[in-house]
Amino acid sequence: MAMVLFLNIFLLALFLLFFLLKHRIINNGKYCNLPLLPPGPAGLPFIGHLHLQMFDNSDGPHIFLWKLSQKYGSLMSLRFGFKPTLVVSSAKMAEKVMKTHDLDFCSRPNLRGTRKLSYEALDLAFSPYTDYWKEMRKICVVHLFSRVHKYRSIREDEVARLVEKIGRLSICSKPVNLSEAMMCLTSSIICRVGFGKRYDEEGAERSRFHGMLKESEAMFTGFSFADFFPFMGWVDRFTGFLNRLEKTFKEHDAFYQELVDEHLDPIGENQIKRT
């Protein structure tokens, strides 16, 4: 009962603060100091457009945003909690964002899930555009991307496996989920190139690997209060998000360590000596 009363008082104070600030800005005529944002639907105090994302996107977020763009234009502004967001929905506008103004938009959002699973954004995918990212990119270009032609046999083998699998299913008149098949193809190629092994066969290793992929995807897209309301990050502990994220991180870290150990000791010499 005390917790409910505290939350009610807390929310009421936030609403009063919002309206007082808005009233002060209007009276002082300071709208000229505010950034000029593209058009967008009216948001609610405090939560912004989170209610639209949660309740009005039954067709999927991409369809939901496309429908909004038909009304508000190819460049639309939304606000999810305290996070302002630009929605681009045309090729012309995407070119301006990704080419003309690429330096302003090249960094990925700093989300709690991706930051934790990428070791505080130390990898190439989630690191912000800094000198560190440039150095990481140089290393990848020299030691990884320049050797793509060496992995041609792996790509050809995996494509042949996929074609053979689709052929068997078609003979038996069974449906084929091409989206899932292409995801498995990509995953198998990456695993063979990066790890030196496949995780497509049945067994405990396959179940473990695909389970980690699903869990990491859930953490990347899961709702975290810290991402939208930075001062309410402590709520993630009560919702179970932090515990789940920490468990997923430890599973990934153990998996990476096993791969490193296997590459350092490929034939298990240390294990033979111990026995």
Side-chain angles (χ1 to χ4, degrees):
M1 186 66 182
M3 179 60 69
V4 175
L5 180 61
F6 170 77
L7 288 176
N8 288 334
I9 295 175
F10 179 71
L11 292 176
L12 179 61
L14 286 176
F15 280 120
L16 289 176
L17 178 62
F18 171 81
F19 285 115
L20 287 174
L21 289 175
K22 183 177 180 180
H23 179 72
R24 183 177 179 181
I25 291 175
I26 293 175
N27 289 341
N28 293 341
K30 295 182 179 179
Y31 274 120
C32 58
N33 296 328
L34 296 176
L36 182 62
L37 297 176
L44 295 177
F46 189 62
I47 66 172
H49 300 93
L50 276 177
H51 63 293
L52 298 178
Q53 185 185 28
M54 293 179 178
F55 302 113
D56 295 346
N57 61 346
S58 57
D59 296 330
H62 56 296
I63 301 296
F64 160 69
L65 294 175
W66 175 77
K67 290 180 179 179
L68 283 180
S69 69
Q70 300 303 298
K71 181 177 181 181
Y72 296 101
S74 58
L75 186 63
M76 176 176 57
S77 63
L78 299 175
R79 181 172 59 84
F80 298 122
F82 284 63
K83 296 294 184 179
T85 305
L86 286 178
V87 180
V88 179
S89 56
S90 71
K92 182 178 180 180
M93 196 60 65
E95 182 182 7
K96 290 183 178 296
V97 170
M98 302 178 69
K99 185 177 180 181
T100 308
H101 301 282
D102 60 324
L103 294 180
D104 297 321
F105 298 98
C106 57
S107 297
R108 289 178 178 267
N110 185 19
L111 304 180
R112 170 168 272 184
T114 55
R115 186 171 64 251
K116 179 68 175 180
L117 296 183
S118 61
Y119 296 88
E120 298 300 324
L122 290 179
D123 66 343
L124 185 64
F126 298 105
S127 174
Y129 185 75
T130 59
D131 292 337
Y132 171 81
W133 182 88
K134 295 177 183 178
E135 187 63 28
M136 287 287 292
R137 183 177 181 274
K138 290 179 182 177
I139 294 174
C140 289
V141 169
V142 173
H143 298 285
L144 180 62
F145 300 148
S146 62
R147 303 181 181 181
V148 173
H149 63 282
K150 295 185 178 181
Y151 308 126
R152 179 176 179 178
S153 58
I154 294 178
R155 296 194 299 271
E156 292 177 346
D157 180 60
E158 290 299 328
V159 172
R161 288 172 180 263
L162 177 60
V163 172
E164 181 182 356
K165 181 179 179 180
I166 294 176
R168 292 197 307 268
L169 293 174
S170 63
I171 292 175
C172 299
S173 299
K174 294 183 179 180
V176 179
N177 188 331
L178 289 179
S179 298
E180 182 179 348
M182 295 306 297
M183 288 295 294
C184 290
L185 172 66
T186 305
S187 175
S188 297
I189 294 175
I190 293 175
C191 289
R192 289 186 63 180
V193 172
F195 307 154
K197 58 174 64 178
R198 301 181 78 252
Y199 290 95
D200 194 39
E201 289 83 2
E202 297 294 334
E205 283 297 312
R206 179 184 184 277
S207 299
R208 177 193 178 193
F209 179 72
H210 284 271
M212 287 193 302
L213 286 181
K214 291 182 179 180
E215 192 65 13
S216 61
E217 182 181 357
M219 291 295 95
F220 287 157
T221 59
F223 181 85
S224 170
F225 276 88
D227 294 334
F228 303 101
F229 309 100
F231 59 92
M232 294 182 64
W234 52 272
V235 180
D236 288 331
R237 188 168 300 279
F238 294 95
T239 61
F241 183 86
L242 278 183
N243 292 334
R244 185 179 178 186
L245 180 61
E246 184 65 26
K247 180 181 177 182
T248 303
F249 171 76
K250 290 181 178 179
E251 291 178 351
H252 280 71
D253 189 67
F255 176 76
Y256 298 147
Q257 188 61 50
E258 291 175 8
L259 292 173
V260 172
D261 293 340
E262 289 179 5
H263 280 71
L264 293 177
D265 188 20
I267 61 176
E269 292 180 354
N270 294 333
Q271 185 176 3
I272 294 174
K273 291 179 180 179
R274 288 196 299 270
T275 57

